[in-house]
Amino acid sequence: MATMVSVIRAYGVKEERILAAMSRVRRHRFIPESCGEHDAYGNHPCPIGHGQTISQPYIVAYMTERIGCKPGDRILEIGTGSGYQAAILAELGAEVYTLERIPELAGHARAVLAAEGYGQVHVRCADGYHGWPEHAPYDAIIATCAPDAVPRNLAAQLKDGGRMVLPVGTGFQQLVLLERSGDAFHETPDLPVRFVPMVPGRCGEA
Ligand code: SAH
């Protein structure tokens, strides 16, 4: 755990609050202890079942830093997966709404988040392309699966001044940072990345 945090720091994540949150969340409770031939705290992606993967801890920290997560923020996540990213946001004091399309992953994340004491994370099994309009607008939106283009529908659920970070593209993917100012959206391309695709369809559909 201490090594994981020092690697993230060495990669350039500066915010101490985020490094502290990364050192508090028990990553091995969310993802399988044996991650391939590595352990849960190595700086590499891990399989989380059902053909899905969680990105390396550095990318989790980096995306968290990009949205500028503050205590009291209301945050929407698309792609709950293991629940780890949601736990980091909750550890930073956010109220988290997270959507996952695979029911088994949503169920597992809900159970682990409750057991680890993250009652302010709300998990719903649904298609993230629609967002979660009942709780909009959000201070920030983070997607951990990649659509072909920024879903306008999701951007519309941001508050004025809100920020969204997401991987975009098929094959070549890039993180995109989106900032809302009134009805305008300012897009900044960021790091090249590799995420699983954002797949449309109802909860539980193959
Ligand atoms: N943030 C996760 C990593 C998730 S991997 C973690 O911390 O573990 C990406 C997840 O996005 C996968 O679980 C995948 O099933 C989910 N996903 C893909 N398309 C989706 C969609 N349209 N709506 C909701 N979830 C989706």
Side-chain angles (χ1 to χ4, degrees), residues 165-177:
V165 66
L166 75 171
V168 176
T170 42
F172 177 77
Q173 293 175 4
Q174 202 165 16
L175 281 184
V176 171
L177 182 65

Side-chain angles (χ1 to χ4, degrees), residues 9 13-24 64-65 67-73 88-89 91-94:
R9 192 194 296 276
V13 172
K14 291 189 184 63
E15 270 193 56
E16 290 301 328
R17 294 178 315 124
I18 295 177
L19 296 165
M22 300 284 299
S23 72
R24 283 196 299 268
T64 304
E65 195 173 53
I67 57 170
C69 174
K70 302 182 303 303
D73 276 1
I88 296 290
L89 299 171
E91 193 65 54
L92 286 162

Side-chain angles (χ1 to χ4, degrees), residues 73-152:
D73 276 1
R74 180 191 293 259
I75 299 189
L76 175 67
E77 180 192 27
I78 313 302
T80 315
S82 69
Y84 178 73
Q85 170 78 69
I88 296 290
L89 299 171
E91 193 65 54
L92 286 162
E95 188 80 19
V96 186
Y97 295 85
T98 178
L99 299 172
E100 170 56 55
R101 61 179 285 278
I102 299 178
E104 291 82 359
L105 289 176
H108 171 266
R110 199 178 280 125
V112 178
L113 285 160
E116 293 295 291
Y118 297 110
Q120 75 277 47
V121 180
H122 313 276
V123 182
R124 179 174 167 190
C125 189
D127 180 0
Y129 275 101
H130 303 297
W132 196 337
E134 291 85 346
H135 301 287
Y138 298 96
D139 296 285
I141 301 178
I142 180 168
T144 58
C145 44
D148 297 349
V150 176
R152 293 295 144 189

Side-chain angles (χ1 to χ4, degrees), residues 22 35 39 104 127 179-180 194 197 205:
M22 300 284 299
C35 164
D39 76 282
E104 291 82 359
D127 180 0
E179 293 174 85
R180 179 171 197 165
R194 191 157 182 82
E205 269 178 4

